[in-house]
Amino acid sequence: MAVRPSLSVRGIAGPTLALAASPTYAALWVGAAFVGSLLVACVVGRLINAVVGLFVLGCGVGLLAMRSGTIEDLAFANGSLLTATIEGLIWSCLVLAASLLVFRVSGPLPDAVEIENPRRDGPFGLMAFATLGCGVLVLLGVWAVVVSPTKGQALAGTFVGSVLVGLAARMAAPRTPPVLLFVAPILFGCLGYVIAFLQLKGTPIDMAFVKSTLSCLAYPMPVDYAAGTLAGTAVGIGWSRSFLKQEPERR
């Protein structure tokens, strides 16, 4: 339902909403699809846990990402990396709001432990903000995986990088509820756009793409980062349980 309103003048779903034939119409439908997926995520989170719920939401966003354009479409449609950065920041706000809601509805994780120092280990404590720095690992995943502008590699790169983020952050702060963590990869993805833009040094993006001088950090689109951060971070958090042993909170 959200794909058709997102069609660009080139006849495909735009790589960014700004490149849709009607950006406002596309934004409304994508927002409605996101809210619908979020409701499903809340139900799953309530039945299982919040991390699984956010993984389900990531899969829903991933379906939209698979139907959307790539960096090639952005480059040859007079797109801009700065516009992609802004859209990435908008997606980060949506991801943050979704994480807050799903955790609110779902309650503590099954392996949650008693927090003795909320200022340090609380969901909005010092460690919660410190572990956001692990988001830089998503750029490592993109750099290692994305060697061509195909959609599959873009999604795989953001997913693998986000798995590393979730694993590293949870290992560093096992007591801290990962409410804020899901937004970290997409924020650093926006930083990747800025780095790629600066490396252009005034060269048009389509020319840089043709000459293969465009940084691979620009290859994933904002919706790719949104899908990867939700699904990948959830998987990383799940994997971390294999390395951590802690007694769950007694209720």
Side-chain angles (χ1 to χ4, degrees):
M1 294 171 64
V3 171
R4 189 171 183 82
S6 302
L7 292 179
S8 67
V9 293
R10 302 186 70 206
I12 61 170
T16 63
L17 293 178
L19 291 177
S22 177
T24 302
Y25 187 56
L28 290 174
W29 274 101
V30 170
F34 186 83
V35 170
S37 298
L38 179 56
L39 293 177
V40 176
C42 288
V43 173
V44 174
R46 186 70 177 175
L47 294 175
I48 307 178
N49 61 64
V51 171
V52 177
L54 289 170
F55 173 81
V56 170
L57 178 59
C59 293
V61 177
L63 291 175
L64 178 62
M66 286 295 295
R67 300 288 299 275
S68 64
T70 65
I71 182 61
E72 182 177 3
D73 303 301
L74 180 77
F76 292 110
N78 296 320
S80 168
L81 290 179
L82 294 182
T83 304
T85 303
I86 295 173
E87 189 165 316
L89 292 175
I90 294 174
W91 272 110
S92 70
C93 294
L94 292 176
V95 170
L96 177 59
S99 179
L100 292 172
L101 179 60
V102 173
F103 270 91
R104 178 71 174 179
V105 172
S106 306
L109 295 176
D111 60 348
V113 297
E114 184 178 357
I115 298 176
E116 299 177 355
N117 187 350
R119 286 190 174 185
R120 181 180 186 275
D121 299 317
F124 304 100
L126 177 62
M127 291 303 297
F129 286 98
T131 52
L132 291 179
C134 294
V136 71
L137 294 175
V138 75
L139 300 182
L140 176 62
V142 171
W143 175 81
V145 175
V146 185
V147 295
S148 71
T150 60
K151 177 60 68 172
Q153 286 196 12
L155 282 171
T158 59
F159 178 82
V160 170
S162 297
V163 169
L164 297 177
V165 173
L167 180 60
R170 196 62 171 161
M171 293 285 290
R175 288 180 173 269
T176 303
V179 178
L180 299 180
L181 182 59
F182 285 84
V183 78
I186 193 170
L187 288 178
F188 277 89
C190 293
L191 177 61
Y193 288 144
V194 175
I195 294 173
F197 175 78
L198 295 176
Q199 289 179 347
L200 288 175
K201 297 180 180 179
T203 304
I205 187 173
D206 54 349
M207 186 178 298
F209 179 80
V210 171
K211 293 182 177 180
S212 299
T213 58
L214 181 63
S215 172
C216 66
L217 299 181
Y219 282 10
M221 294 293 94
V223 68
D224 301 333
Y225 273 113
T229 188
L230 286 165
T233 304
V235 171
I237 293 173
W239 283 4
S240 69
R241 298 181 66 182
S242 301
F243 303 95
L244 298 172
K245 183 178 180 181
Q246 53 192 27
E247 294 296 328
E249 180 182 359
R250 293 182 179 178
R251 299 183 179 86

